[in-house]
């Protein structure tokens, strides 16, 4: 007689763990286990944690085809992310995936090279119903991706704002405040001529950065210019070439505001080639990883973004958009931390 246990050596193959398996091990009912694995707020956090732990121990894998038939959901969230040389997206994508690990939802990562390519990918997701929601980044002031998803009533969240951001879930970093505070810090350090190495101005955060930096420089009586020929989102060779040209043609510029770590490193290299020392002859304020920039050039003032906080918020925001679309969309904007500098 053959047994029926999960690890019965007499079976042709071990039975696949089911919700009933987990329920018996936890001493709970199958509906409670199902709700716990679906991250239902009706179930206590302690119970959800215990159920997830047992599910992991027995190797429970949900039958996604069955789930889709029962619920109409794929339990997939597509991350359609525009890639850039900065390490920011390389940090936020796994952070979002990690934030969703405690739920039934999986992440499908779709890297794209342009906004148009991203819109095509999003259209495909919506038309195929291959995911329950979308998260995308690098938002434009007038963003066709947000307009399309709102028109279709498809759940989504954005990393960044746009002209329609009041209508949907989003998380953003206050780049305008970063630029304004950076200008104030440089002015306090006696700098008189500032340069901005910023994002493209068709991007919401790019326009916000440029406008706030311009306003701050005017209010502080500082000379101000934008480094041309490249944006902070470009490749390293373009950043380096633009920084070299600017430093060579503007030897009196003594303060730099950089909107990415790679842009700051390009400026630092150009200044070193010109024989200028950061912290003595010039100052550089950058939005970027304090750990990375600190290892490469400790004199750069690095203002970090809390990637984990943003990822956790986006995960919760997009789940609410799926489960409770009648609620107001979750929205948050992180303020730059200049404590210790200003």
């Amino acid at each position: 007689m053959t047994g029926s246990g999960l690890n019965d050596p007499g079976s042709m193959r071990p039975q696949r763990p089911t919700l009933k398996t987990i329920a018996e091990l936890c001493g709970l009912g199958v509906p409670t286990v199902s709700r716990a694995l679906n991250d239902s707020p009706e179930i206590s956090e302690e119970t959800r944690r215990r159920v997830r732990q047992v599910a992991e121990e027995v190797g429970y894998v949900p039958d996604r085809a069955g789930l889709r038939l029962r619920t109409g959901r794929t339990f997939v969230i597509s991350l359609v992310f525009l890639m850039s040389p900065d390490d920011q997206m390389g940090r936020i994508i796994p952070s979002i995936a990690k934030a969703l690990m405690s739920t039934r939802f999986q992440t499908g990562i779709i890297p794209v090279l342009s906004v148009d390519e991203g819109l095509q990918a999003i259209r495909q997701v919506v038309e195929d119903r291959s995911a329950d929601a979308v998260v995308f980044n690098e938002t434009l002031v007038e963003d066709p991706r947000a307009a399309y998803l709102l028109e279709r009533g498809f759940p989504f969240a954005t990393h960044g704002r746009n002209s329609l951001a009041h209508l949907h879930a989003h998380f953003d970093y206050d780049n305008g405040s970063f630029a304004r505070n950076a200008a104030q810090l440089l002015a306090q350090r006696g700098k008189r001529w500032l340069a901005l190495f910023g994002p493209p101005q068709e991007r919401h955060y790019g326009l916000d950065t440029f406008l706030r930096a311009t306003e701050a420089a005017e209010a502080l009586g500082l000379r101000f210019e934008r480094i041309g020929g490249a944006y902070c989102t470009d490749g390293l060779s373009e950043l380096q070439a633009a920084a070299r040209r600017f430093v060579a043609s503007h030897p009196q510029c003594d303060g730099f505001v950089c909107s990415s770590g790679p842009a700051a490193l390009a400026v630092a290299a150009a200044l070193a080639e010109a024989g200028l020392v950061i912290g003595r002859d010039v100052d550089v304020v950058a939005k970027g990883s304090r750990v990375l920039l600190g290892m490469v050039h400790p004199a750069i003032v690095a203002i970090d973004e809390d990637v984990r906080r943003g990822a956790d918020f986006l995960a919760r925001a997009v789940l609410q958009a799926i489960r409770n679309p009648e609620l107001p969309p979750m929205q948050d904007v992180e303020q730059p931390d200049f404590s210790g500098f200003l």
Side-chain angles (χ1 to χ4, degrees), residues 41 73 316-329:
R73 291 179 180 172
R316 289 186 287 110
V318 77
L319 287 176
Q320 178 179 288
I322 294 170
R323 294 167 172 165
N324 305 107
E326 74 284 356
L327 295 178

Side-chain angles (χ1 to χ4, degrees), residues 72-78 105 125 129-134 154-155 322:
R73 291 179 180 172
T74 64
F75 288 89
V76 173
I77 295 173
S78 288
F105 287 84
V125 168
R129 290 287 165 174
S130 56
D132 296 323
V134 166
F154 195 82
I322 294 170

Side-chain angles (χ1 to χ4, degrees), residues 35-108:
R35 288 196 296 271
L37 289 174
N38 201 28
D39 207 29
S40 170
E42 301 172 359
I43 308 300
S44 71
E45 177 58 32
E46 180 182 353
T47 299
R48 280 181 281 167
R49 191 184 307 112
R50 181 160 59 96
V51 168
R52 288 193 296 266
Q53 181 180 348
V54 171
E56 184 176 351
E57 289 174 353
V58 300
Y60 172 74
V61 178
D63 181 354
R64 296 197 170 273
L67 281 174
R68 185 163 188 170
L69 285 174
R70 293 195 305 273
T71 66
R73 291 179 180 172
T74 64
F75 288 89
V76 173
I77 295 173
S78 288
L79 308 184
V80 185
F81 270 49
L82 188 66
M83 308 308 292
S84 73
D86 196 353
D87 71 336
Q88 191 77 321
M89 293 307 103
R91 291 189 292 160
I92 198 168
I93 289 175
S95 294
I96 293 175
K98 185 176 181 180
L100 291 168
M101 282 179 62
S102 62
T103 74
R104 281 192 178 185
F105 287 84
Q106 294 183 333
T107 52

